[in-house]
Amino acid sequence: MTLPDGVERRDFGDESALATRGEPAYGEPVVDGWRRWDAHRSKLGATLELGVDTGLAGGDSVLYLGAANGTTVSHVADFAGPTYAVEFAPRPVRDLLDVAEARTNLFPLLKDARKPETYAHVVESELDAIVQDVATRGQADVALANRQFLADDGRFVGAVKARSEDVTRDPGDVFEDVLDRLRDGYEVLATERLEPYHEDHLAVVATPK
């Protein structure tokens, strides 16, 4: 398993789990300053748990799309450098602001990930990574629209939710369509279904063309 610097496997009682060092954010278990990163609550956590080489590294500059309440992005900010967290819904952003209080490198943005022009003046260019977890139709389009922020050797690490694209079609067919669209601007390096942690989700690692 290839983990970013700052992410380790630690023991929590009788169980071993991924963890990052930082202030607790959502009631997760903490042992000796290490916060449990529950793969059942985090698509990125599941991606790492399944051994996918994401290419993420400690100190990376990150644009996180679909930050919600901050569960996953809090762990990302624990090991990364500047972390820009985009979330569209005002209610989760209130929780995200609380998470950011203990993390000076975490910058919440109440914005729509489908409209990167609305935050392009805030987010630095040549980022090391984009992490995406948006529950919307057109997930590949979101990734392509935000590709402008990535360095040439940067990484896109996303979780494609089949049911957000089309609840009536076979998830495998949906994933193929999303990957085909994604290849308009990215080279896909790895994919992995996220079962048993998340049903009908596909992890994708890519780099810009």
Side-chain angles (χ1 to χ4, degrees):
M1 182 185 301
T2 304
L3 297 175
D5 291 340
V7 182
E8 295 186 8
R9 182 165 292 282
R10 311 289 292 193
D11 290 330
F12 294 86
D14 296 331
E15 292 185 303
S16 174
L18 299 178
T20 60
R21 287 190 74 90
E23 291 295 318
Y26 52 93
E28 69 280 16
V30 180
V31 175
D32 296 331
W34 288 89
R35 309 166 51 222
R36 178 171 180 162
W37 193 347
D38 188 347
H40 291 280
R41 297 188 61 172
S42 168
K43 266 77 86 178
L44 179 57
T47 301
L48 294 171
E49 188 69 64
L50 290 168
V52 178
D53 183 1
T54 62
L56 297 174
D60 274 355
S61 54
V62 178
L63 173 61
Y64 193 106
L65 305 173
N69 301 75
T71 297
T72 298
V73 78
S74 66
H75 288 288
V76 172
D78 283 349
F79 71 81
T83 304
Y84 303 91
V86 175
E87 172 53 44
F88 177 68
R91 177 63 190 90
V93 168
R94 289 201 288 272
D95 293 334
L96 186 57
L97 288 169
D98 290 338
V99 171
E101 282 188 7
R103 294 168 175 83
T104 57
N105 63 322
L106 178 56
F107 307 105
L109 299 171
L110 178 57
K111 298 291 183 180
D112 187 340
R114 296 170 295 185
K115 300 176 180 178
E117 68 275 7
T118 63
Y119 48 85
H121 63 292
V122 177
V123 177
E124 62 185 277
S125 59
E126 301 294 302
L127 293 173
D128 296 308
I130 291 175
V131 178
Q132 180 173 307
D133 180 13
V134 293
T136 184
R137 188 184 296 270
Q139 292 165 81
D141 293 332
V142 172
L144 291 167
N146 285 275
R147 176 180 171 276
Q148 61 184 292
F149 299 111
L150 264 184
D152 290 343
D153 60 348
R155 289 295 179 98
F156 171 84
V157 184
V160 179
K161 183 177 182 180
R163 295 182 186 280
S164 291
E165 294 288 341
D166 192 332
V167 297
T168 65
R169 297 179 62 211
D170 179 79
D173 294 337
V174 173
F175 295 146
E176 283 305 313
D177 285 352
V178 172
L179 291 172
D180 284 346
R181 174 72 176 121
L182 194 65
R183 290 188 180 100
D184 287 344
Y186 290 91
E187 178 186 354
V188 176
L189 304 178
T191 62
E192 184 77 27
R193 291 285 291 257
L194 291 181
E195 284 87 1
Y197 302 104
H198 301 276
E199 188 176 1
D200 297 335
H201 282 75
L202 182 76
V204 181
V205 180
T207 192
K209 287 182 177 178

mmCIF file of all heavy atoms in Angstrom, residues 134-165:
data_model
loop_
_atom_site.group_PDB
_atom_site.id
_atom_site.type_symbol
_atom_site.label_atom_id
_atom_site.label_comp_id
_atom_site.label_asym_id
_atom_site.label_seq_id
_atom_site.Cartn_x
_atom_site.Cartn_y
_atom_site.Cartn_z
ATOM 1 N N VAL A 134 -17.985 14.707 -5.947
ATOM 2 C CA VAL A 134 -19.192 15.508 -6.153
ATOM 3 C C VAL A 134 -20.328 14.590 -6.573
ATOM 4 O O VAL A 134 -20.173 13.744 -7.439
ATOM 5 C CB VAL A 134 -18.969 16.611 -7.210
ATOM 6 C CG1 VAL A 134 -17.976 17.640 -6.701
ATOM 7 C CG2 VAL A 134 -18.500 16.049 -8.543
ATOM 8 N N ALA A 135 -21.483 14.770 -5.959
ATOM 9 C CA ALA A 135 -22.659 13.961 -6.281
ATOM 10 C C ALA A 135 -23.534 14.741 -7.251
ATOM 11 O O ALA A 135 -24.542 15.337 -6.874
ATOM 12 C CB ALA A 135 -23.423 13.617 -5.009
ATOM 13 N N THR A 136 -23.112 14.773 -8.515
ATOM 14 C CA THR A 136 -23.847 15.506 -9.529
ATOM 15 C C THR A 136 -23.702 14.801 -10.871
ATOM 16 O O THR A 136 -22.738 14.061 -11.098
ATOM 17 C CB THR A 136 -23.321 16.956 -9.638
ATOM 18 O OG1 THR A 136 -24.110 17.676 -10.580
ATOM 19 C CG2 THR A 136 -21.873 16.993 -10.096
ATOM 20 N N ARG A 137 -24.632 15.023 -11.750
ATOM 21 C CA ARG A 137 -24.484 14.535 -13.122
ATOM 22 C C ARG A 137 -23.359 15.329 -13.794
ATOM 23 O O ARG A 137 -23.168 16.509 -13.516
ATOM 24 C CB ARG A 137 -25.802 14.719 -13.874
ATOM 25 C CG ARG A 137 -25.821 14.067 -15.258
ATOM 26 C CD ARG A 137 -27.122 14.396 -15.967
ATOM 27 N NE ARG A 137 -28.269 13.846 -15.273
ATOM 28 C CZ ARG A 137 -28.785 12.651 -15.496
ATOM 29 N NH1 ARG A 137 -28.213 11.844 -16.390
ATOM 30 N NH2 ARG A 137 -29.855 12.231 -14.842
ATOM 31 N N GLY A 138 -22.622 14.665 -14.657
ATOM 32 C CA GLY A 138 -21.533 15.352 -15.329
ATOM 33 C C GLY A 138 -20.272 15.445 -14.499
ATOM 34 O O GLY A 138 -19.576 16.462 -14.521
ATOM 35 N N GLN A 139 -19.944 14.369 -13.788
ATOM 36 C CA GLN A 139 -18.767 14.395 -12.920
ATOM 37 C C GLN A 139 -17.472 14.547 -13.720
ATOM 38 O O GLN A 139 -16.535 15.220 -13.279
ATOM 39 C CB GLN A 139 -18.733 13.128 -12.054
ATOM 40 C CG GLN A 139 -19.873 13.097 -11.029
ATOM 41 C CD GLN A 139 -20.092 11.729 -10.423
ATOM 42 O OE1 GLN A 139 -19.386 11.320 -9.501
ATOM 43 N NE2 GLN A 139 -21.055 10.991 -10.935
ATOM 44 N N ALA A 140 -17.410 13.961 -14.921
ATOM 45 C CA ALA A 140 -16.231 14.132 -15.765
ATOM 46 C C ALA A 140 -16.102 15.580 -16.228
ATOM 47 O O ALA A 140 -14.987 16.113 -16.328
ATOM 48 C CB ALA A 140 -16.296 13.195 -16.968
ATOM 49 N N ASP A 141 -17.228 16.221 -16.504
ATOM 50 C CA ASP A 141 -17.194 17.620 -16.923
ATOM 51 C C ASP A 141 -16.632 18.519 -15.821
ATOM 52 O O ASP A 141 -15.906 19.481 -16.095
ATOM 53 C CB ASP A 141 -18.593 18.101 -17.322
ATOM 54 C CG ASP A 141 -19.106 17.424 -18.587
ATOM 55 O OD1 ASP A 141 -18.272 17.029 -19.426
ATOM 56 O OD2 ASP A 141 -20.336 17.292 -18.734
ATOM 57 N N VAL A 142 -16.967 18.206 -14.573
ATOM 58 C CA VAL A 142 -16.421 18.962 -13.443
ATOM 59 C C VAL A 142 -14.906 18.802 -13.391
ATOM 60 O O VAL A 142 -14.162 19.773 -13.216
ATOM 61 C CB VAL A 142 -17.059 18.500 -12.113
ATOM 62 C CG1 VAL A 142 -16.360 19.153 -10.915
ATOM 63 C CG2 VAL A 142 -18.552 18.820 -12.091
ATOM 64 N N ALA A 143 -14.448 17.574 -13.576
ATOM 65 C CA ALA A 143 -13.007 17.310 -13.555
ATOM 66 C C ALA A 143 -12.300 18.047 -14.686
ATOM 67 O O ALA A 143 -11.214 18.614 -14.494
ATOM 68 C CB ALA A 143 -12.746 15.809 -13.656
ATOM 69 N N LEU A 144 -12.905 18.061 -15.862
ATOM 70 C CA LEU A 144 -12.297 18.736 -17.007
ATOM 71 C C LEU A 144 -12.282 20.245 -16.818
ATOM 72 O O LEU A 144 -11.312 20.921 -17.175
ATOM 73 C CB LEU A 144 -13.050 18.361 -18.284
ATOM 74 C CG LEU A 144 -12.897 16.908 -18.734
ATOM 75 C CD1 LEU A 144 -13.930 16.571 -19.808
ATOM 76 C CD2 LEU A 144 -11.486 16.662 -19.257
ATOM 77 N N ALA A 145 -13.347 20.782 -16.245
ATOM 78 C CA ALA A 145 -13.422 22.227 -16.032
ATOM 79 C C ALA A 145 -12.372 22.710 -15.044
ATOM 80 O O ALA A 145 -11.877 23.843 -15.155
ATOM 81 C CB ALA A 145 -14.817 22.610 -15.539
ATOM 82 N N ASN A 146 -12.004 21.864 -14.083
ATOM 83 C CA ASN A 146 -11.037 22.253 -13.052
ATOM 84 C C ASN A 146 -9.608 21.834 -13.378
ATOM 85 O O ASN A 146 -8.676 22.157 -12.626
ATOM 86 C CB ASN A 146 -11.461 21.670 -11.703
ATOM 87 C CG ASN A 146 -12.639 22.406 -11.084
ATOM 88 O OD1 ASN A 146 -12.473 23.416 -10.406
ATOM 89 N ND2 ASN A 146 -13.840 21.918 -11.352
ATOM 90 N N ARG A 147 -9.430 21.174 -14.503
ATOM 91 C CA ARG A 147 -8.106 20.726 -14.928
ATOM 92 C C ARG A 147 -7.126 21.888 -15.038
ATOM 93 O O ARG A 147 -5.911 21.729 -14.856
ATOM 94 C CB ARG A 147 -8.247 20.014 -16.267
ATOM 95 C CG ARG A 147 -6.955 19.551 -16.920
ATOM 96 C CD ARG A 147 -7.289 18.863 -18.241
ATOM 97 N NE ARG A 147 -6.089 18.578 -19.026
ATOM 98 C CZ ARG A 147 -5.493 19.447 -19.819
ATOM 99 N NH1 ARG A 147 -5.972 20.691 -19.922
ATOM 100 N NH2 ARG A 147 -4.416 19.103 -20.515
ATOM 101 N N GLN A 148 -7.635 23.085 -15.311
ATOM 102 C CA GLN A 148 -6.797 24.282 -15.478
ATOM 103 C C GLN A 148 -5.922 24.574 -14.263
ATOM 104 O O GLN A 148 -4.874 25.215 -14.394
ATOM 105 C CB GLN A 148 -7.684 25.499 -15.738
ATOM 106 C CG GLN A 148 -8.652 25.790 -14.589
ATOM 107 C CD GLN A 148 -9.606 26.929 -14.878
ATOM 108 O OE1 GLN A 148 -9.193 28.075 -14.968
ATOM 109 N NE2 GLN A 148 -10.892 26.610 -15.028
ATOM 110 N N PHE A 149 -6.320 24.096 -13.093
ATOM 111 C CA PHE A 149 -5.576 24.389 -11.867
ATOM 112 C C PHE A 149 -4.406 23.426 -11.640
ATOM 113 O O PHE A 149 -3.537 23.695 -10.816
ATOM 114 C CB PHE A 149 -6.500 24.331 -10.647
ATOM 115 C CG PHE A 149 -7.621 25.326 -10.683
ATOM 116 C CD1 PHE A 149 -8.934 24.916 -10.836
ATOM 117 C CD2 PHE A 149 -7.368 26.687 -10.568
ATOM 118 C CE1 PHE A 149 -9.981 25.835 -10.875
ATOM 119 C CE2 PHE A 149 -8.398 27.609 -10.607
ATOM 120 C CZ PHE A 149 -9.706 27.183 -10.764
ATOM 121 N N LEU A 150 -4.381 22.306 -12.366
ATOM 122 C CA LEU A 150 -3.389 21.261 -12.112
ATOM 123 C C LEU A 150 -2.068 21.545 -12.821
ATOM 124 O O LEU A 150 -2.046 21.997 -13.959
ATOM 125 C CB LEU A 150 -3.901 19.907 -12.604
ATOM 126 C CG LEU A 150 -4.573 18.961 -11.609
ATOM 127 C CD1 LEU A 150 -4.909 17.650 -12.306
ATOM 128 C CD2 LEU A 150 -3.726 18.711 -10.385
ATOM 129 N N ALA A 151 -0.987 21.234 -12.147
ATOM 130 C CA ALA A 151 0.318 21.224 -12.798
ATOM 131 C C ALA A 151 0.345 20.109 -13.835
ATOM 132 O O ALA A 151 -0.447 19.160 -13.779
ATOM 133 C CB ALA A 151 1.416 21.001 -11.760
ATOM 134 N N ASP A 152 1.263 20.220 -14.790
ATOM 135 C CA ASP A 152 1.339 19.225 -15.862
ATOM 136 C C ASP A 152 1.542 17.810 -15.328
ATOM 137 O O ASP A 152 1.081 16.842 -15.930
ATOM 138 C CB ASP A 152 2.471 19.573 -16.830
ATOM 139 C CG ASP A 152 2.171 20.815 -17.657
ATOM 140 O OD1 ASP A 152 0.987 21.217 -17.721
ATOM 141 O OD2 ASP A 152 3.120 21.399 -18.213
ATOM 142 N N ASP A 153 2.264 17.698 -14.212
ATOM 143 C CA ASP A 153 2.502 16.381 -13.619
ATOM 144 C C ASP A 153 1.617 16.148 -12.396
ATOM 145 O O ASP A 153 1.898 15.266 -11.575
ATOM 146 C CB ASP A 153 3.973 16.221 -13.234
ATOM 147 C CG ASP A 153 4.431 17.257 -12.209
ATOM 148 O OD1 ASP A 153 3.684 18.238 -11.966
ATOM 149 O OD2 ASP A 153 5.538 17.105 -11.663
ATOM 150 N N GLY A 154 0.554 16.934 -12.269
ATOM 151 C CA GLY A 154 -0.345 16.800 -11.126
ATOM 152 C C GLY A 154 -1.224 15.565 -11.231
ATOM 153 O O GLY A 154 -1.272 14.884 -12.260
ATOM 154 N N ARG A 155 -1.919 15.271 -10.142
ATOM 155 C CA ARG A 155 -2.794 14.098 -10.097
ATOM 156 C C ARG A 155 -4.241 14.510 -9.863
ATOM 157 O O ARG A 155 -4.526 15.389 -9.048
ATOM 158 C CB ARG A 155 -2.376 13.152 -8.959
ATOM 159 C CG ARG A 155 -1.072 12.415 -9.192
ATOM 160 C CD ARG A 155 -1.147 11.453 -10.367
ATOM 161 N NE ARG A 155 0.126 10.783 -10.584
ATOM 162 C CZ ARG A 155 0.414 9.568 -10.136
ATOM 163 N NH1 ARG A 155 -0.472 8.902 -9.438
ATOM 164 N NH2 ARG A 155 1.589 9.027 -10.388
ATOM 165 N N PHE A 156 -5.132 13.835 -10.578
ATOM 166 C CA PHE A 156 -6.567 13.887 -10.299
ATOM 167 C C PHE A 156 -6.942 12.594 -9.600
ATOM 168 O O PHE A 156 -6.644 11.505 -10.109
ATOM 169 C CB PHE A 156 -7.363 14.037 -11.592
ATOM 170 C CG PHE A 156 -8.848 13.875 -11.405
ATOM 171 C CD1 PHE A 156 -9.631 14.938 -11.003
ATOM 172 C CD2 PHE A 156 -9.450 12.639 -11.610
ATOM 173 C CE1 PHE A 156 -10.999 14.780 -10.807
ATOM 174 C CE2 PHE A 156 -10.812 12.472 -11.415
ATOM 175 C CZ PHE A 156 -11.587 13.552 -11.020
ATOM 176 N N VAL A 157 -7.560 12.704 -8.438
ATOM 177 C CA VAL A 157 -8.015 11.527 -7.692
ATOM 178 C C VAL A 157 -9.500 11.721 -7.409
ATOM 179 O O VAL A 157 -9.891 12.586 -6.630
ATOM 180 C CB VAL A 157 -7.239 11.352 -6.373
ATOM 181 C CG1 VAL A 157 -7.683 10.065 -5.678
ATOM 182 C CG2 VAL A 157 -5.737 11.331 -6.622
ATOM 183 N N GLY A 158 -10.327 10.953 -8.091
ATOM 184 C CA GLY A 158 -11.764 11.159 -7.975
ATOM 185 C C GLY A 158 -12.513 9.905 -7.599
ATOM 186 O O GLY A 158 -12.005 8.779 -7.720
ATOM 187 N N ALA A 159 -13.744 10.105 -7.123
ATOM 188 C CA ALA A 159 -14.670 9.006 -6.854
ATOM 189 C C ALA A 159 -15.921 9.269 -7.685
ATOM 190 O O ALA A 159 -16.619 10.255 -7.463
ATOM 191 C CB ALA A 159 -15.011 8.922 -5.375
ATOM 192 N N VAL A 160 -16.168 8.405 -8.669
ATOM 193 C CA VAL A 160 -17.324 8.556 -9.545
ATOM 194 C C VAL A 160 -18.503 7.805 -8.935
ATOM 195 O O VAL A 160 -18.410 6.598 -8.659
ATOM 196 C CB VAL A 160 -17.028 8.008 -10.948
ATOM 197 C CG1 VAL A 160 -18.258 8.145 -11.837
ATOM 198 C CG2 VAL A 160 -15.830 8.727 -11.557
ATOM 199 N N LYS A 161 -19.595 8.528 -8.736
ATOM 200 C CA LYS A 161 -20.804 7.933 -8.175
ATOM 201 C C LYS A 161 -21.775 7.640 -9.306
ATOM 202 O O LYS A 161 -22.325 8.562 -9.923
ATOM 203 C CB LYS A 161 -21.444 8.885 -7.158
ATOM 204 C CG LYS A 161 -22.663 8.317 -6.459
ATOM 205 C CD LYS A 161 -23.202 9.287 -5.422
ATOM 206 C CE LYS A 161 -24.401 8.691 -4.690
ATOM 207 N NZ LYS A 161 -24.944 9.621 -3.666
ATOM 208 N N ALA A 162 -21.986 6.346 -9.601
ATOM 209 C CA ALA A 162 -22.804 5.961 -10.751
ATOM 210 C C ALA A 162 -24.226 6.490 -10.644
ATOM 211 O O ALA A 162 -24.806 6.967 -11.624
ATOM 212 C CB ALA A 162 -22.808 4.437 -10.896
ATOM 213 N N ARG A 163 -24.799 6.437 -9.452
ATOM 214 C CA ARG A 163 -26.204 6.814 -9.295
ATOM 215 C C ARG A 163 -26.426 8.321 -9.449
ATOM 216 O O ARG A 163 -27.555 8.747 -9.692
ATOM 217 C CB ARG A 163 -26.730 6.326 -7.937
ATOM 218 C CG ARG A 163 -26.756 4.811 -7.824
ATOM 219 C CD ARG A 163 -27.319 4.329 -6.501
ATOM 220 N NE ARG A 163 -27.215 2.882 -6.360
ATOM 221 C CZ ARG A 163 -28.045 2.003 -6.914
ATOM 222 N NH1 ARG A 163 -29.042 2.438 -7.655
ATOM 223 N NH2 ARG A 163 -27.869 0.709 -6.726
ATOM 224 N N SER A 164 -25.380 9.101 -9.309
ATOM 225 C CA SER A 164 -25.515 10.537 -9.556
ATOM 226 C C SER A 164 -25.568 10.834 -11.054
ATOM 227 O O SER A 164 -26.104 11.861 -11.470
ATOM 228 C CB SER A 164 -24.345 11.310 -8.927
ATOM 229 O OG SER A 164 -24.427 11.279 -7.520
ATOM 230 N N GLU A 165 -25.008 9.941 -11.856
ATOM 231 C CA GLU A 165 -25.050 10.106 -13.306
ATOM 232 C C GLU A 165 -26.364 9.587 -13.883
ATOM 233 O O GLU A 165 -27.003 10.260 -14.680
ATOM 234 C CB GLU A 165 -23.873 9.372 -13.953
ATOM 235 C CG GLU A 165 -22.509 9.936 -13.610
ATOM 236 C CD GLU A 165 -22.240 11.270 -14.283
ATOM 237 O OE1 GLU A 165 -22.918 11.603 -15.280
ATOM 238 O OE2 GLU A 165 -21.345 11.991 -13.803
#
